[in-house]
Amino acid sequence: MPLLFVADPLEGFKTHKDTSFAMMREAARRGHALLACEARDLHWQRGGRVTARARAITLTGRAGAGVTDWFQAAPAAPVELATLDAVLMRSDPPFDSEYFYATHLLEQAEREGARVFNRPRALRDHPEKLAILEFPQWIGPTLVTRSADDIRAFHAEHRDIILKPLDGMGGMGIFRVGPDGLNLGSITETLNRDGAQTVMVQRYLPEIVQGDKRILLIAGRPVPFALARIPQGSEIRGNMAVGGKGVAQPLSVRDREIAEHLGPVLAARGLLLVGLDVIGDCVTEINVTSPTGFQEITQQTGHDVARDWMDALAAALAG
């Protein structure tokens, strides 16, 4: 039963914390053959079906910080996506034009019979920052705009705000502007490029000091533990990519309320795996491209998240 992972270069995987690696390891444990490619390896030619130049890989059993020989790979060869048991789209953001085109190729593969997770149309329909605005009862004050005047008005109302680009990941390009408004104009110009680029602005949530929680939804159901990513030192961002400390903790009552409301809605749209980012009582992002946190939660709690994911994938393929 071959599975194709469309992911970032394998050579760059940090196997001690990479979620795609945890997925591969669990799939291999259950006897699945593994293939891997990058989004740039997708191919569609007139009269043919969508293919990928993919490498068949085997896991060596070695993993950990600094380990690079965790897999062995055969030479890349073309494979039709519709002939595989499943295609797992795990490319990291940014959600740029090339990512957008890749979802169209994957959607064509679906029409040919491929099973793609998360579904390509659902990936397109849920840009990770914008998607929260569909659920206003679960989010804090939020503005999406190109207008510098709108941003100044939002700051005047809320006084302490966060600004961020719509296509960032890992905490990239996030700024806080406090009540004094220091550098608001300069930050706005940097992010919106004189009105050419859309910016998200949110009221600052002081609960960030307790962590930016990642709640994982698998087939619409929450994993019972969240990964609270806690800012360190003077940093306002809890993202692991910028040095945040990951602490697994049981879901709170509010976490469960959020998850149980959003989970079935998102699952019904073809999103098998979702990562909700929650600060305090508010959802701040809905991550659908390549949600992470499997290994940290499993290592700290013993709850095998990759097993949950593989169970859900097997059920989806059988359904």
Side-chain angles (χ1 to χ4, degrees):
M1 298 178 66
L3 305 179
L4 172 65
F5 285 79
V6 183
D8 292 338
L10 302 183
E11 292 77 8
F13 275 31
K14 296 179 174 64
T15 55
H16 62 292
K17 63 178 183 178
D18 191 280
T19 288
S20 294
F21 170 73
M23 292 174 167
M24 291 177 179
R25 186 168 54 190
E26 178 63 16
R29 189 185 70 79
R30 299 192 188 198
H32 290 277
L34 304 178
L35 296 94
C37 73
E38 298 175 39
R40 65 181 180 179
D41 296 316
L42 298 174
H43 176 90
W44 186 24
Q45 187 168 345
R46 186 183 71 170
R49 298 204 288 180
V50 176
T51 65
R53 287 192 55 80
R55 295 184 289 175
I57 66 171
T58 55
L59 306 186
T60 64
R62 290 183 286 276
V67 172
T68 58
D69 61 344
W70 60 271
F71 71 98
Q72 294 177 337
V79 59
E80 293 181 348
L81 271 58
T83 66
L84 304 169
D85 287 290
V87 177
L88 295 313
M89 181 52 162
R90 290 286 303 171
S91 292
D92 283 342
F95 195 108
D96 56 12
S97 296
E98 289 304 319
Y99 193 105
F100 179 78
Y101 301 146
T103 66
H104 279 289
L105 292 177
L106 291 171
E107 190 168 22
Q108 172 60 25
E110 278 190 321
R111 289 191 285 268
E112 297 163 1
R115 304 291 301 276
V116 184
F117 304 91
N118 286 325
R119 292 198 67 183
R121 179 177 292 274
L123 291 174
R124 287 200 306 276
D125 288 349
H126 295 83
E128 298 187 322
K129 293 179 174 61
L130 284 175
I132 65 171
L133 288 161
E134 183 184 347
F135 307 102
Q137 69 271 44
W138 303 109
I139 70 175
T142 300
L143 167 70
V144 175
T145 185
R146 293 189 188 187
S147 168
D149 290 341
D150 289 350
I151 293 172
R152 283 192 292 272
F154 189 89
H155 176 263
E157 178 181 0
H158 296 289
R159 308 296 296 161
D160 199 350
I161 65 173
I162 294 291
L163 302 93
K164 54 189 174 182
L166 292 180
D167 61 354
M169 66 167 289
M172 181 189 72
I174 293 178
F175 295 89
R176 177 185 178 186
V177 177
D180 59 9
L182 187 64
N183 288 329
L184 177 61
S186 177
I187 291 168
T188 299
E189 291 167 7
T190 298
L191 291 178
N192 84 342
R193 298 183 183 178
D194 293 324
Q197 190 160 295
T198 304
V199 179
M200 172 168 276
V201 194
Q202 295 173 302
R203 186 180 67 191
Y204 174 73
L205 300 173
E207 296 89 345
I208 184 63
V209 297
Q210 278 87 48
D212 178 357
K213 289 180 286 188
R214 166 61 55 83
I215 300 171
L216 293 170
L217 304 177
I218 298 176
R221 295 182 293 275
V223 172
F225 298 92
L227 185 68
R229 297 156 301 172
I230 301 171
Q232 300 297 293
S234 60
E235 182 59 72
I236 63 166
R237 300 169 296 175
N239 307 76
M240 307 289 277
V242 294
K245 180 181 179 182
V247 178
Q249 54 189 230
L251 298 185
S252 69
V253 172
R254 174 67 172 185
D255 294 340
R256 286 195 174 276
E257 288 176 348
I258 293 169
E260 289 169 3
H261 180 89
L262 270 63
V265 174
L266 298 173
R269 297 174 183 177
L271 294 166
L272 184 71
L273 175 61
V274 174
L276 303 178
D277 288 350
V278 175
I279 299 175
D281 289 339
C282 299
V283 179
T284 60
E285 292 187 19
I286 298 175
N287 294 272
V288 301
T289 52
S290 56
T292 60
F294 280 27
Q295 293 208 60
E296 293 89 346
I297 291 173
T298 299
Q299 290 161 4
Q300 294 183 39
T301 69
H303 184 91
D304 193 335
V305 185
R307 181 188 61 201
D308 290 352
W309 172 81
M310 195 65 222
D311 288 345
L313 178 64
L317 293 175

